[in-house]
């Protein structure tokens, strides 16, 4: 018994010693950890504590201005108040939306847009509530911040475009970064409240030059994020000012003179290739996109059959129609055809078992090169293409700039088609036919161009120089080099185009009323539908009888002065069909060219005309928006999360439709023709 009790006492003492040892070891570990935290990790935890008390935020940089060739602003920044939401800081979304609705007097559409954005929100990516806010409402939000966690009022700068839609497709617009952009770049500036980056056009392509360097500020905050005091600020560095070759006055005038048409105008300097005006109308107002476009305005723009979201200058593809005839005349000269050689036009030309009609049903009789261009005789060019083959023309067509891509600051361009036998064999695995040559000779069939290419073609024919369009004024205005074309051939082309306007040709209404200045040009009409033999037998429907999308495109290319060209221009009016004499291509070209030589006369002419089509583009856009809202029976759907991509899809779809429509064989029934004096 005594032995057993002694053993038990020993065992108990041993367990006590072991437990004491463990406790001592734990104490040593805790003491060591405390020593480590207090000595070695002190700096880390001090910084964490500091970060809870001190807030470091980036200040969006002021974007660089975009100015015209004379320094006149096209895109600037102006002081603005804004209110954003930071989703991760919001405690009660429904309550907060109600508070903002009351304080900021938000419309039902603005509330709906805000609720949609909150559903799509991710983390700290800011959601714009109101931009360009007046001081009273900004102050009303600011004093209520303690009761509205997640609200971030900011005083900064907003992008502003003085010409509005007049520069929509020229400049593009800015907007908040998408989630995809932030996930890709991980740049904290992208989620800074008030930061905008280029989303389209020049604004997007020149983002690196325009963005600038952000500023930063350190502020002391409470646990709920309320600012106590500002500790330190580093100023932002503004972006670079970008100068364009554009003439702002001309750009605005062209946008207004295009009236209610769906179309485009390009004006080039014939000597050096400077783009003086580049207008696509109708267009979106970049101020709307930059401020956060409303749901109703987005719906109106995306559903408009005039496609205001599409840059028609670079993305639009069209059969050039008869505007290519002077260039084809140049090709004939380069291949040894005498300008005095005549062709008899009896109103049509038979190729195999098909008739190719001239626009003049009774024919033109005997025509030489000058008369063929001036009167736009189709049969003359049919005959030449039948005899020589279109491969003979294609080399000159490419030399004049069609089918080419130009180094312009735009992400999306359509380049069209200069067809020949090798092209057709590669694309369709079919041989080229005589009918293909006849079609192409009058700018139909497989031939497709964009308006910029038409302007380049005209400038090259006018001066014989290798004109390449440029939009950025980063260097001197050096003359373009010679194309190496026989000067006599260039002079002959000038004469044929002079006759179009001044010698009883198809564009007499484009004749300038400026002493000592004459314009040379060429009209064009491009079919977008085939005219069947049955329709021709019972009478071809006029454009006035057709729906908008089935009317002919009307085109015009020109240069002035005719004897020593300085300015070249292309005009494309989609589905105009010559249905309105005032807004047609020839008088439009006359007024725009007049502006370049006598601004006061041109402005006076526009002032008299503008009321007939509903006022300037800003007035018409406001009325269109009001009328559209009045017809909507239900609230419009939300704006797409990535409006930039959605707008590009609309434009791409329209360009594809144009290609599909224009690429077919429409020449069996011939050209619908040109308006004649």
């Amino acid at each position: 018994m005594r032995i057993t009790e002694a053993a038990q006492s020993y065992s108990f003492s041993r367990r006590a010693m072991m437990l004491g040892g463990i406790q001592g070891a734990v104490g040593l570990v805790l003491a060591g950890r405390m020593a480590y935290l207090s000595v070695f990790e002190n700096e880390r935890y001090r910084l964490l504590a500091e970060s809870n008390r001190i807030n470091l935020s980036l200040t969006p940089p002021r974007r660089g201005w975009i100015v015209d060739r004379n320094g006149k602003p096209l895109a600037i920044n102006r002081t603005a108040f804004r209110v954003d939401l930071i989703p991760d800081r919001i405690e009660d979304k429904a309550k907060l939306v109600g508070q903002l609705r009351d304080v900021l007097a938000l419309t039902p559409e603005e509330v709906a847009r805000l609720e949609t954005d909150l559903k799509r929100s991710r983390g700290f990516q800011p959601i714009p509530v109101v931009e360009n806010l007046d001081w009273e409402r900004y102050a009303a939000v600011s004093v209520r911040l303690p009761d509205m966690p997640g609200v971030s009022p900011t005083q900064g700068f907003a992008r502003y475009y003085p010409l509005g839609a007049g520069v929509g497709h020229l400049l593009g617009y800015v907007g908040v970064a998408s989630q995809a952009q932030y996930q890709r770049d991980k740049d904290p500036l992208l989620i800074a409240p008030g930061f905008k980056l280029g989303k389209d056009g020049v604004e997007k392509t020149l983002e690196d030059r325009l963005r600038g360097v952000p500023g930063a500020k350190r502020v002391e905050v409470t646990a709920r994020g309320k600012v106590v005091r500002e500790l330190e600020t580093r100023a932002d560095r503004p972006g670079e000012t970008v100068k364009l070759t554009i003439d702002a006055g001309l750009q605005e005038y062209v946008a207004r003179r295009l009236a209610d048409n769906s179309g485009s105008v390009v004006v080039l300097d014939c000597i050096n290739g400077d783009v003086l005006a580049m207008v696509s109308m109708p267009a979106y107002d970049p101020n709307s996109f930059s401020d956060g476009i409303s749901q109703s305005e987005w719906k109106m723009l995306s559903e408009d059959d005039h496609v205001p979201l599409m840059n028609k200058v670079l993305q639009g593809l069209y059969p050039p129609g008869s505007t290519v005839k002077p260039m084809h005349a140049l090709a004939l000269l380069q291949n040894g055809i005498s300008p005095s050689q005549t062709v008899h036009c009896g109103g049509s030309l038979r190729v195999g078992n098909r008739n190719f009609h001239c626009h003049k049903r009774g024919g033109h009789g005997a025509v030489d090169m000058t008369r063929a261009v001036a009167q736009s005789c189709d049969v003359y060019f049919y005959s030449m293409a039948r005899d020589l083959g279109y491969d003979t023309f294609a080399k000159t067509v490419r030399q004049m700039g069609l089918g080419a891509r130009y180094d312009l600051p735009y992400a999306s361009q359509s380049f069209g088609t200069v067809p020949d036998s090798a092209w057709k064999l590669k694309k369709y695995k079919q041989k080229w036919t005589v009918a293909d040559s006849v079609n192409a000779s009058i700018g139909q069939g497989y031939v497709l161009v964009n308006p910029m290419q038409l302007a380049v073609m005209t400038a090259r024919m006018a001066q014989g120089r290798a004109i390449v369009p440029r939009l950025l004024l980063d260097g001197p205005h050096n003359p373009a080099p010679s194309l190496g074309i026989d000067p006599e051939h260039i002079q002959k082309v000038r004469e044929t185009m002079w006759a179009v306007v001044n010698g009883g040709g198809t564009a007499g209404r484009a004749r300038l009323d400026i002493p000592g200045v004459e314009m040379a040009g060429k009209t064009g009409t491009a079919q977008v539908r085939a005219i069947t033999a049955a329709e021709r037998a019972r009478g071809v429907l006029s454009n006035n009888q057709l729906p908008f999308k089935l009317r002919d495109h009307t085109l015009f290319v020109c240069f002035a002065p005719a004897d020593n060209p300085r300015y070249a221009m292309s005009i494309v009016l989609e589905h105009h069909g010559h249905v309105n004499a005032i807004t047609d291509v020839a008088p439009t070209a006359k007024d725009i060219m007049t502006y370049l030589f006598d601004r006061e006369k041109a402005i006076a002419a526009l002032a008299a005309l503008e009321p007939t089509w509903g006022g300037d583009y800003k007035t018409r856009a406001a009325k269109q928006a009001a009328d559209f809202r009045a017809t909507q029976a239900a609230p419009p759907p939300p704006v797409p999360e990535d409006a930039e991509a959605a707008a590009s899809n609309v434009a791409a779809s329209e360009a594809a439709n144009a290609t599909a429509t224009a690429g077919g064989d429409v020449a069996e029934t011939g050209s619908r023709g040109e308006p004649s004096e």
Side-chain angles (χ1 to χ4, degrees), residues 79-146:
T79 303
F81 298 109
R82 58 180 292 116
V83 173
D84 295 287
L85 294 182
I86 309 301
D88 275 4
R89 297 177 182 170
I90 298 174
E91 296 176 356
D92 187 331
K93 292 182 180 180
K95 178 183 177 182
L96 184 58
V97 169
Q99 290 174 309
L100 291 172
R101 179 195 61 217
D102 297 338
V103 174
L104 295 174
L106 300 179
T107 66
E109 185 174 333
E110 289 173 326
V111 171
R113 191 267 305 167
L114 184 57
E115 290 173 339
T116 298
D117 288 348
L118 280 170
K119 291 177 183 177
R120 296 170 173 170
S121 65
R122 301 174 181 89
F124 280 88
Q125 186 175 8
I127 296 172
V129 180
V130 180
E131 306 200 35
N132 292 322
L133 195 61
D134 57 80
W135 166 252
E136 288 74 16
R137 290 194 292 167
Y138 176 80
V141 169
S142 298
V143 299
R144 291 172 172 81
L145 286 183

Side-chain angles (χ1 to χ4, degrees), residues 11 25 62 86 108 197 253 320 349 360 379 488 531 586 604 631:
S11 177
R62 289 161 287 174
I86 309 301
L197 75 166
Y253 185 88
L349 178 73
K360 188 174 181 180
V379 170
E488 292 186 4
I531 303 174
T631 62

